[in-house]
Amino acid sequence: MMRVAVPVKGRLREPSFHLLEDAGLGPEQPGDRALAFPCRNAPVEVLLVRASDVPEYVQDGVVDCGITGIDLVRERGADVLEVLPLGFGSCKLEAAVPEESPYRELADLAGAAVATVYPRLTAELLPVDVTLVDVSGSVEITPRLGLADAIVDLVSSGNTLRTNGLRSIAVLLESEAVLVARDEERAGPLVAMLRAVVEARQHRYLMLNAPESALPAIGELLSPRVPSVLPLAAEGMVAVHALVPAADVWRLLPDLEALGASSILIVPVERMAA
Ligand code: AMP
């Protein structure tokens, strides 16, 4: 039986369940109070814990693997392996100052009071010595309250910074959800199952019909991927199938159309393995 720690609440909980579900594990969404429950389709038990406690549970061997944010793993300084980035929960740890502040870059923060809920990462990633103002939340209002000259906090859209009259001066760390483990080999089967989904989500299966004469140009567009080419019943026409990065689809479509592609279908991929 493999035990996996998953965030009990917060913004990583639902996407984590989604991932386990898409990987075919079939976790039973627990009732309000259940904090441990089995998966329907695999010898995996899910333990619900706070995202910030996941690194420690994995480090101490209470669970084999866990899902949490890279920021939380590094802040804890936990002795665990980040075995698989999961493609959700993306955010950045940024240093920000009030709009009107004279500070322009990190070096300017020497000696400044910096509020954060990430004291360890702040001390580690800032290139100058600062006075840490350790708070447990609402970091963004500390400059306005006169408690700090700058903050170090997680940012995704930047809206919260703007709303609070703050301006980012640097990104200290890029974070996303990650699968952590203590023993890579033991985590292997789960890593393989989750990787198949994470990779699939980043791709689309592209199908189209095209004149055979357009094949070299289409091949060049899709390169380095080599498409499958199938004959069509119509003379001089072929069907082209290829796996493409989801992010490239919108760039590819007009070019493919210009090359005479028709009946273009773009379908999601459920799982993908080597
Ligand atoms: P929560 O439990 O909702 O506080 O979420 C905690 C984790 O979600 C953080 O440690 C990050 O890894 C991730 N996250 C993603 N985007 C953001 C964001 N804009 N603000 C805070 N946490 C975020």
Side-chain angles (χ1 to χ4, degrees), residues 146-164:
L147 293 171
D149 306 307
I151 66 165
V152 167
D153 203 14
L154 289 182
V155 176
S156 40
S157 67
N159 278 337
T160 313
L161 286 188
R162 273 190 294 279
T163 310
N164 288 284

Side-chain angles (χ1 to χ4, degrees), residues 50-133:
R50 288 160 54 117
S52 54
D53 290 336
V54 168
E56 222 145 82
Y57 274 65
V58 174
Q59 174 185 272
D60 297 348
V62 177
V63 293
D64 300 292
C65 302
I67 296 177
T68 187
I70 289 177
D71 52 302
L72 296 171
V73 177
R74 309 264 173 97
E75 178 61 25
R76 280 290 166 126
D79 184 15
V80 297
L81 303 166
E82 295 173 15
V83 285
L84 181 69
L86 298 175
F88 59 86
S90 300
C91 55
K92 294 173 181 164
L93 189 69
E94 300 193 22
V97 297
E99 287 291 358
E100 66 282 6
S101 164
Y103 300 134
R104 298 276 148 211
E105 52 186 71
L106 291 180
D108 298 336
L109 294 180
V114 178
T116 186
V117 294
Y118 292 86
R120 182 194 184 109
L121 282 175
T122 301
E124 191 179 307
L125 299 173
L126 284 183
V128 291
D129 284 335
V130 298
T131 304
L132 287 177
V133 180

Side-chain angles (χ1 to χ4, degrees), residues 2 65 83 181 183-195:
M2 158 111 67
C65 302
V83 285
D183 177 343
E184 200 155 9
E185 201 172 320
R186 172 133 176 82
L190 185 68
V191 174
M193 275 190 269
L194 298 189
R195 179 181 285 127

